[in-house]
Every structure is written in structure tokens, then in C-alpha cells.
Amino acid sequence: MSGSEKLWGGRFHGATASSVEAFTASIHYDSRLYKYDIRGSKAHATMLAENGLLTGEELKSIIDGLSSIEQDIDDGTFEFKAELEDIHMNIEKALVDRIGPAGAKLHSARSRNDQIALDFRMYLRDQCDHLSDLLEQVQKAFTLLARKYLGHVMPGYTHLQRAQPVMISHHLLAYFEMFGRDRHRFGDCKKRLNLSPLGCAAMAGTGLPINREMVAESLGFDGVTANSMDSSGDRDFAIEFANCCTITQLHLSRLSEELVLWSSKEFSFVEIDDRFCTGSSIMPQKKNPDIPELIRGKSGRVVGSLMSLITLVKGLPLTYNRDLQEDKEPLFDTIDTVSSSLSIMAELLENLRFRTGVMEEATRTGFMTATDLADYLVLKNVPFREAHGIVGRAVVGCIEKGCELVDLSLQELQEFSPVIEKDVYEVLSVQGSVNSRTSTGGTGITRVEEAVIQAEKLMGISE
Ligand code: ARG
């Protein structure tokens, strides 16, 4: 393409080197933003007409021209050109080609710097809603599982060592909370990014008569950004969004790790449905948990994208710098990764089965009610540190005998502390231990049942 055909060609004598065109082009990925670009241009044109910068006729031909371009892109018949660099210039050039001089008036009082900031904010605003919806599906799946397995126990772990018995539903609802926080984070992120930068122009604002507030309102923004220099170079909103995505993916990764462990022969806590596993090309007996493994693995690229973005803005002087074009690919990849991970995880959970017998059996060994025995002594007025020592010695006694605390006779228990009475066996049982933890947020059955009901309410599931 010769220099004079370029929308910015006036100042140039010769054509751009084709290597430079290839190196600077972003159209192969920013074409994803076409709907936002067109919507923003229509709002901008409407405002220009309102302020006497376009006639009614010119406005109409711009709107119609943009609609026809959108239709062609929808249909896949629009030809994107790398030599036109990006989505903004591909659309603007097509508009000028289709409608003539009126099209050339569209870019008044606007720069690609505020245009890309606008498109990106509108796109991410929708993605906040989209990811929040997917997170809700995952939360729903957890709610249904928590209801289904209410009343069953499993070992709770610290340091991946058996610690205290808990309700399966309590463990499941821990994830409900984590993904709920993620949804709130996307909501907060959306609030902060939902301000229109359009009209900041290149970076200093414009002397042409415009109405930024009108454009902002028609595009569904809560208002306009305050400082034109800040707005043309600001990518805080993108970094914040990537951070929200990263925390979500980390939550998915932790969950995946548990699913990998739980579906192993060693744990045998869950059965992942055949449809969500794959086999081995050499070992006929294998059923591998590839989905959680891949989700766990994909966390790397999501964390990497966040690193790319923060490194990108580090050391950039105000205002817009071409470096900022590098903000889109990592974020698009993150969005694709987190979306697909969330939707497949929701499906997997909807089809997950727990082996409640194995899980309950696992609570019977490992001295899991040791803390309950210490608490029992505390209620008998033994200072907690002393109680801790007594129970520790009882555990050593059990290890020597090869039994659990509940297997010791009353007499044997009394050798460790004379205050122990017959009622101790209630606290040494798994069910007794779980039922006793009625503190707010604890694993006691009454608390967990309340939590399930609360989750169902939030998810709009009626029992
Ligand atoms: N494609 C560019 C980007 O994504 C649009 C802004 C270009 N501005 C400029 N002055 N070259 O950042």
C-alpha cells in the first residue's frame, strides 16, 4: 500500500516497508473488538452531528456504512488488511471507501489512542459479566453437590495430613465462597473501568466542540474519565481485570489439584465421569484426570499474562506509547483460558460422584478427634496447653499399641488424665466431633445445613 493511501499518509514520502507493516499490525487479534469499535464510532458520530460537526445526512450515511461493515464482518466476508494496522483503521478505511467524504469526517475530535481505550474498556466490561456468569455456574454445581452429600463426613487436611473430620459439604462450600469472592472482584473491577475515555483524543483533549458526557451515557458508561493524559495511557483497568482472572484461575487450579489427588487410587474419594477423562495409549487400565490437570497447567499462562501486562506498563512515560498495543494478546488469551476452564469445570462437577464410604472410612484413622479430646479436657477445667500435652501422650500410647484414641478403655484414658469420664466417647467419635463444631463458619451439621440453604438462596435454587 503506498504512503498516500494510508489514513496517516500525508506526512510521508515513500511507502512503509512491508516488514514494518507486518511487525506493527495488530489486526489479526484486535479484529475481535470490531463490534465495540463500531458501536463507539456510531455514538461518536451521533455526538458530532449534535454539535454541528456533521450534517444529518452525513451522520446517516456514516451509521449505515458502519452497519454494513459490521454485517460483512459478522458474515465473514470483510477483508481485513494487515497494511491498515489495526481494527480502527480497517473499519475507517472501509467506511471512506464505501461512503466517500462523510466517512473521512468520522475521526474528528478523536484519536486512536482514546478509541482503543474505549473499545478495550467496553470489551472488558462485557467480559466481567461473562466471567461472572460462568463463575455462577460453578457455584451452582457446588451448591447442588453440597446438598446431595449433606450429612457425609470426610477428613479435613492441613499440610495434607489428616487433621479433623469435616462434612463433605463444608469442604465443597469452601469453593463456593472462593468463587463467590471472584465474582465480587469482577463486579468491583467493572465499576472502576466503566468510565468513558473518548474525547481525551491523542492525550490533551480537543478544541472542537464535543460532548463527552453524551457519548458516555449513550454507551452505558457511568461517566467520563477525569484527566485526558491519564486516560490515554492508563491500562490499570486491564491489569486489574487480569488480576481478577488470575485469582479465579488459581482457585480452579487448587480445586484441580484436589480432584487429581482425590481421583487417585491412593485417595479414591471421587469418581470423575468417563466423559471427562482420557485413557493412555500404552497402559490399557489407565483413566486419567486430564481436565483438572490441564486447568492446573493452564494457570501458568494466565499468571504469565499478568506478568506481561505489569511489565508492559512499568517504566512507560505518559501518555500513550505504542508498547500498549501489546496489552491485548495476553488478556485475550487469559479470557479464553479462564472461560473455557470455568465452563468445563462446571460440567465436570455436575457429573462428579463422591465415594462417601471411602471418605468416611478415612476419618476413622489418624487420631482425627485428638483436638476434641483436648477441648473435652478444657471443659473439665484443664488449661489448654496442659490438655494438648496429655492428648499428645495419649496419641503416642495409641501408636505404640497400634490403635486409635477411641479404642482405648476408660481406664487406659484415665492414666493420661484422671478427669476423663465415660462421656469422653461421645467426643471421640467422628460424628460427635463434627457435630460439636457449631461455631459460626464451622463444620457442625447445623451450620453446614444453614450454609447450604444460604447458597441455594443466592443461586436461586429452591429445595
Ligand atoms: N492499535 C493501537 C493499539 O492497540 C491503537 C492505537 C494506536 N495509536 C497510535 N498512535 N499509533 O494500541
Side-chain angles (χ1 to χ4, degrees):
M1 189 175 271
S2 77
S4 57
E5 280 178 77
K6 292 247 155 85
L7 292 171
W8 43 253
R11 185 232 176 276
F12 288 79
H13 296 302
T16 319
S18 58
S19 54
V20 170
E21 285 180 342
F23 189 73
T24 54
S26 55
I27 188 61
H28 50 289
Y29 52 84
D30 67 16
S31 58
R32 183 189 283 235
L33 298 172
Y34 77 96
K35 279 199 180 289
Y36 300 96
D37 199 70
I38 288 172
R39 202 177 147 206
S41 288
K42 285 182 175 177
H44 180 65
T46 307
M47 180 278 294
L48 291 179
E50 189 82 11
N51 287 277
L53 292 168
L54 292 174
T55 65
E57 227 165 273
E58 286 168 334
L59 173 64
K60 186 171 180 322
S61 73
I62 287 175
I63 301 279
D64 292 347
L66 288 170
S67 297
S68 78
I69 291 169
E70 183 170 13
Q71 190 61 55
D72 290 354
I73 302 178
D74 284 345
D75 295 345
T77 55
F78 187 88
E79 196 199 336
F80 289 111
K81 295 193 180 107
E83 58 271 30
L84 286 169
E85 289 183 34
D86 56 25
I87 186 61
H88 322 298
M89 294 212 289
N90 268 272
I91 290 176
E92 195 185 325
K93 179 79 167 63
L95 185 69
V96 176
D97 290 348
R98 288 181 194 202
I99 69 165
K105 288 190 168 183
L106 173 64
H107 210 52
S108 313
R110 183 174 82 168
S111 146
R112 276 187 294 156
N113 299 350
D114 55 344
Q115 193 176 354
I116 185 60
L118 177 84
D119 294 1
F120 212 20
R121 282 175 187 253
M122 283 200 287
Y123 170 72
L124 292 183
R125 179 173 77 177
D126 280 356
Q127 290 303 320
C128 283
D129 291 340
H130 173 60
L131 290 172
S132 183
D133 289 348
L134 291 176
L135 279 161
E136 188 177 359
Q137 281 179 28
V138 173
Q139 280 191 298
K140 258 192 193 140
F142 274 114
T143 308
L144 295 173
L145 283 172
R147 166 61 69 188
K148 183 167 171 195
Y149 291 102
L150 192 61
H152 294 281
V153 291
M154 66 177 285
Y157 296 83
T158 62
H159 312 265
L160 199 55
Q161 307 288 323
R162 286 181 191 169
Q164 292 169 336
V166 294
M167 310 252 61
I168 294 178
S169 306
H170 197 51
H171 195 127
L172 293 168
L173 290 181
Y175 283 103
F176 180 90
E177 291 297 316
M178 290 151 80
F179 291 117
R181 285 198 296 277
D182 293 343
R183 285 177 69 197
H184 277 133
R185 249 186 297 274
F186 280 111
D188 283 345
C189 175
K190 182 177 162 180
K191 266 186 231 152
R192 250 182 307 282
L193 68 73
N194 199 28
L195 294 174
S196 169
L198 202 71
C200 290
M203 57 103 183
T206 176
L208 293 170
I210 62 164
N211 184 345
R212 290 187 62 200
E213 288 74 10
M214 175 187 165
V215 176
E217 205 189 319
S218 74
L219 293 174
F221 284 101
D222 296 327
V224 298
T225 56
N227 181 301
S228 63
M229 295 186 75
D230 172 39
S231 309
S232 60
D234 170 31
R235 290 296 179 271
D236 291 3
F237 62 90
I239 295 171
E240 188 174 350
F241 179 88
N243 188 50
C244 297
C245 289
T246 303
I247 298 178
T248 295
Q249 191 71 22
L250 293 182
H251 287 160
L252 285 170
S253 187
R254 294 182 75 173
L255 168 61
S256 296
E257 170 66 10
E258 296 212 306
L259 290 170
V260 171
L261 286 172
W262 289 357
S263 60
S264 70
K265 187 82 195 142
E266 282 67 16
F267 275 83
S268 293
F269 282 3
V270 295
E271 182 73 47
I272 300 176
D273 197 83
D274 276 9
R275 289 189 302 135
F276 296 94
C277 294
T278 62
S280 154
S281 56
I282 178 169
M283 297 168 284
Q285 84 285 11
K286 290 296 289 294
K287 177 175 158 180
N288 296 327
D290 303 54
I291 299 298
E293 287 174 291
L294 274 171
I295 293 176
R296 191 177 57 187
K298 283 173 189 286
S299 312
R301 57 203 286 169
V302 175
V303 173
S305 292
L306 176 63
M307 291 306 126
S308 298
L309 282 177
I310 60 181
T311 312
L312 180 64
V313 296
K314 177 196 170 294
L316 276 193
L318 295 186
T319 57
Y320 181 84
N321 298 270
R322 190 64 180 267
D323 313 45
L324 291 176
Q325 180 168 294
E326 288 289 308
D327 60 359
K328 280 169 273 312
E329 276 175 298
L331 213 51
F332 290 165
D333 185 73
T334 282
I335 289 166
D336 294 346
T337 305
V338 179
S339 308
S340 59
S341 301
L342 282 170
S343 29
I344 198 135
M345 181 57 90
E347 261 190 86
L348 183 148
L349 292 171
E350 283 157 18
N351 293 281
L352 189 66
R353 286 182 300 281
F354 283 83
R355 294 209 181 86
T356 52
V358 178
M359 294 172 100
E360 187 182 345
E361 195 51 41
T363 63
R364 307 218 167 271
T365 49
F367 317 106
M368 298 195 67
T369 54
T371 318
D372 300 84
L373 180 55
D375 288 350
Y376 171 88
L377 294 170
V378 166
L379 288 174
K380 301 258 177 195
N381 226 1
V382 179
F384 181 76
R385 277 291 148 230
E386 207 178 300
H388 190 285
I390 292 168
V391 180
R393 285 188 288 280
V395 166
V396 173
C398 286
I399 293 171
E400 279 162 6
K401 275 190 73 179
C403 69
E404 289 291 317
L405 287 167
V406 74
D407 302 321
L408 295 176
S409 69
L410 183 58
Q411 220 180 352
E412 286 169 319
L413 282 166
Q414 282 168 340
E415 279 169 29
F416 296 105
S417 168
V419 304
I420 296 179
E421 290 169 77
K422 229 170 106 201
D423 60 353
V424 73
Y425 290 102
E426 278 159 44
V427 308
L428 290 182
S429 80
V430 167
Q431 208 63 47
S433 159
V434 172
N435 286 347
S436 73
R437 301 197 189 282
T438 52
S439 55
T440 307
T443 196
I445 178 78
T446 46
R447 289 299 189 187
V448 176
E449 200 165 4
E450 281 166 15
V452 171
I453 291 168
Q454 183 60 23
E456 286 171 340
K457 242 191 227 153
L458 276 168
M459 295 293 104
I461 301 170
S462 48
E463 232 313 273

